[in-house]
């Protein structure tokens, strides 16, 4: 999920900086398909998270455990809200998403061009919020690994265990 999110974030930024061209439209279609796939994956992920409780956190001060819970909740909210806001932009612009050029997905809103630009700004702002939270999340994970020397990062990236 993390790699796919970073890739689709990068694709979104690249597309938004391009002038209108057939290549831009092609890349935008890929951006939308990848985004809809991520929306399906995060839904599965949330169901999995609700069914199976995560292992208890490593011992840490109470404020850090609270901050981690808020961070995880915010990451889930953004992983949902970002693709949904992108879908709303496209719906407001009256452009259907045809997933993999095979299936036309429903429009979330009736066509309304006046809403397309503000919704695009919402999509952009949510992405900026995600970027900031991911930076804090990664720095916190590195701090656990290097300073606290606990297993938080290894639990996120189990292949590190073998290299210890
Ligand atoms: C997790 C999934 C997604 C991520 C991380 C993501 C990320 C981004 C980013 C970073 C931008 C550039 C914002 C800017 O700087 O202006 C962007 C633009 C955009 N995204 Fe997404 N997006 C996702 C899903 C979607 C979906 C599902 C759709 C539509 C179905 C969509 C439609 C758009 C559109 C229409 C733009 C504007 C492109 C332009 O400026 O021409 N995105 N996205």
């Amino acid at each position: 999920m993390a790699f796919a999110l970073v890739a689709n974030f990068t694709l979104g930024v690249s597309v938004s900086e391009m002038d209108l061209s057939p290549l831009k439209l092609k890349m935008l279609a890929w951006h939308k398909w990848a985004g809809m796939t991520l929306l399906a994956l995060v839904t599965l992920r949330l169901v999995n998270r609700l069914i199976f409780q995560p292992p208890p956190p490593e011992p840490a001060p109470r404020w850090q455990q609270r901050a981690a819970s808020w961070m995880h909740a915010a990451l889930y909210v953004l992983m949902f809200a970002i693709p949904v806001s992108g879908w709303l932009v496209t719906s407001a612009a009256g452009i259907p998403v045809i997933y993999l050029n095979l299936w036309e997905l429903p429009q979330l809103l009736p066509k309304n061009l006046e809403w397309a630009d503000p919704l695009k700004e919402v999509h952009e702002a949510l992405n900026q919020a995600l970027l900031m939270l991911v930076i804090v999340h990664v720095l916190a994970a590195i701090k656990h690994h290097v300073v606290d020397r606990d297993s938080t990062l290894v639990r996120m990236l189990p292949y590190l265990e073998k290299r210890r």
Side-chain angles (χ1 to χ4, degrees):
M1 286 275 322
F3 281 119
L5 269 171
V6 170
N8 210 33
F9 183 99
T10 313
L11 186 55
V13 172
S14 313
V15 170
S16 70
E17 284 172 2
M18 290 169 78
D19 293 327
L20 188 61
S21 69
L23 179 63
K24 173 173 172 138
L25 295 177
K26 201 172 182 180
M27 286 174 64
L28 189 52
W30 277 94
H31 175 72
K32 293 177 185 179
W33 299 340
M36 299 307 291
T37 309
L38 277 160
L39 180 59
L41 288 177
V42 76
T43 307
L44 289 178
R45 210 187 152 85
L46 188 64
V47 171
N48 175 76
R49 170 82 192 232
L50 293 175
I51 296 176
F52 302 104
Q53 286 300 308
E58 290 286 320
R62 183 129 183 79
W63 72 267
Q64 281 187 20
Q65 295 193 0
R66 283 202 172 173
S69 298
W70 278 104
M71 170 64 86
H72 298 158
L75 288 173
Y76 271 102
V77 168
L78 288 174
M79 283 192 290
F80 259 109
I82 288 174
V84 169
S85 62
W87 195 356
L88 287 169
V89 176
T90 303
S91 301
I95 303 165
V97 181
I98 305 177
Y99 189 69
L100 302 177
N101 276 341
L102 292 173
W103 298 286
E104 182 170 335
L105 303 182
Q107 301 278 71
L108 293 184
L109 285 176
K111 182 176 175 179
N112 184 341
L113 292 179
E114 279 179 17
W115 285 26
D117 273 340
L119 283 167
K120 202 160 131 182
E121 277 169 30
V122 170
H123 189 58
E124 188 182 336
L126 292 174
N127 272 293
Q128 282 169 359
L130 180 69
L131 178 64
M132 277 183 268
L133 288 191
V134 166
I135 290 172
V136 175
H137 177 67
V138 169
L139 289 177
I142 292 172
K143 183 243 179 209
H144 275 284
H145 196 67
V146 176
V147 180
D148 304 336
R149 302 191 69 77
D150 64 24
S151 66
T152 305
L153 184 63
V154 174
R155 278 166 38 167
M156 294 158 83
L157 301 172
Y159 87 97
L160 284 178
E161 180 107 79
K162 296 176 200 118
R163 304 180 56 200
R164 269 188 156 185

